[in-house]
């Protein structure tokens, strides 16, 4: 018999943002009530996980983070993962079937900064996976939007460059999580966003 402990992954918080991009993360047993409250505050869903339930989903989800504001950090996940979570929780998937949905969700969960999915292009003239990579990175400047991750077990999501430091280090602030502290990342830890995607924002 599986017995819950303080390290048991006990709650999934999930939902789609205003751009219909899927988000999901998992919280430990002591965080359940606060995470449920955060989900309600953010207009997201929550599902309490029974010990041993759907480990193929639960164990692969990124860990969420609770903020003092009452909200939570819920990273992007792949569309397929989100659909499985919605089915597990018995919640209808609110996706609108937009053509950009899968493109937006393929990169954040597992793509590294140097992968074709993440480095899709930047800037106006020579963006695209076939462009000159060094030129793309050289064009990064304060105010640009990039993809960044809080850590190896977190997804990639949009962050704005707040400051450019020496040796290719950038200070970033996550766009959708204003309560999250700014982070420093080297250029090779970042993903570029295709200019067509930026034009939609």
């Amino acid at each position: 018999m599986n017995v819950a402990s303080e390290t048991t992954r006990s709650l999934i918080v999930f939902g789609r943002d205003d751009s219909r991009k899927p988000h999901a993360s998992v919280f430990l047993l002591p965080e359940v009530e606060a995470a449920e409250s955060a989900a309600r505050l953010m207009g997201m869903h929550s599902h309490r996980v029974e010990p041993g339930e759907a480990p193929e989903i639960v164990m692969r989800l990124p860990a969420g983070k609770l903020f003092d504001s009452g909200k939570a950090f819920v990273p992007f996940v792949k569309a397929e993962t989100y659909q499985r979570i919605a089915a597990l929780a018995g919640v209808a998937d609110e996706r609108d079937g937009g053509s950009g949905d899968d493109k937006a969700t393929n990169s954040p969960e597992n793509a590294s900064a140097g992968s074709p999915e993440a480095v899709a292009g930047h800037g106006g003239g020579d963006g695209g996976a076939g462009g000159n990579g060094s030129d793309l990175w050289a064009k990064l400047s304060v105010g640009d939007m990039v993809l960044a991750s809080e850590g190896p077990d977190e997804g990639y999501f949009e962050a704005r460059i707040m400051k450019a430091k020496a040796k290719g280090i950038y200070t970033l602030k996550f766009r959708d999580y204003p309560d999250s502290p700014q982070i420093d990342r080297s250029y090779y830890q970042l993903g570029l966003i295709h200019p067509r995607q930026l034009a939609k924002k």
Side-chain angles (χ1 to χ4, degrees):
M1 177 181 296
N2 293 303
V3 179
S5 69
E6 290 192 354
T7 58
T8 300
R9 293 179 161 221
S10 301
L11 184 81
I12 300 173
V13 172
F14 64 103
R16 290 185 180 270
D17 59 25
D18 292 340
S19 300
R20 316 315 298 162
K21 298 175 185 176
H23 298 248
S25 59
V26 67
F27 293 85
L28 303 182
L29 183 60
E31 303 171 316
V32 165
E33 291 187 4
E36 286 178 330
S37 176
R40 289 191 295 270
L41 185 62
M42 297 187 295
M44 304 182 84
H45 305 288
S46 62
H47 173 68
R48 293 201 182 198
V49 180
E50 295 296 328
E53 180 183 16
E56 73 282 0
I57 299 175
V58 176
M59 299 310 295
R60 291 175 178 268
L61 286 176
K65 181 181 295 185
L66 295 168
F67 295 126
D68 291 340
S69 65
K71 295 184 179 181
F73 185 69
V74 184
F76 291 132
V77 294
K78 289 184 177 180
E80 179 184 359
T81 301
Y82 183 87
Q83 289 161 10
R84 295 178 67 186
I85 294 169
L88 177 68
V91 173
D93 186 357
E94 313 94 328
R95 70 175 299 171
D96 59 6
S99 60
D101 194 46
D102 288 340
K103 291 180 181 178
T105 56
N106 281 342
S107 64
E109 185 177 34
N110 293 318
S112 65
S115 70
E117 294 88 352
V119 187
H122 176 81
D126 57 357
N132 187 320
S134 60
D135 289 344
L136 297 177
W137 295 116
K139 288 183 178 180
L140 287 178
S141 60
V142 173
D144 284 347
M145 195 74 73
V146 295
L147 295 174
S149 176
E150 271 211 325
D153 296 326
E154 303 287 352
Y156 278 76
F157 30 95
E158 293 167 341
R160 190 172 300 279
I161 296 177
M162 308 301 293
K163 184 185 300 183
K165 299 183 176 181
K167 299 182 180 180
I169 302 295
Y170 296 94
T171 297
L172 311 168
K173 187 169 186 63
F174 293 116
R175 188 195 68 173
D176 295 329
Y177 299 94
D179 294 327
S180 181
Q182 294 184 2
I183 60 172
D184 286 348
R185 291 290 183 269
S186 178
Y187 71 92
Y188 61 80
Q189 296 175 300
L190 304 178
L192 301 181
I193 304 173
H194 196 283
R196 289 182 182 175
Q197 187 67 23
L198 288 171
K200 298 178 182 179
K201 301 185 183 302

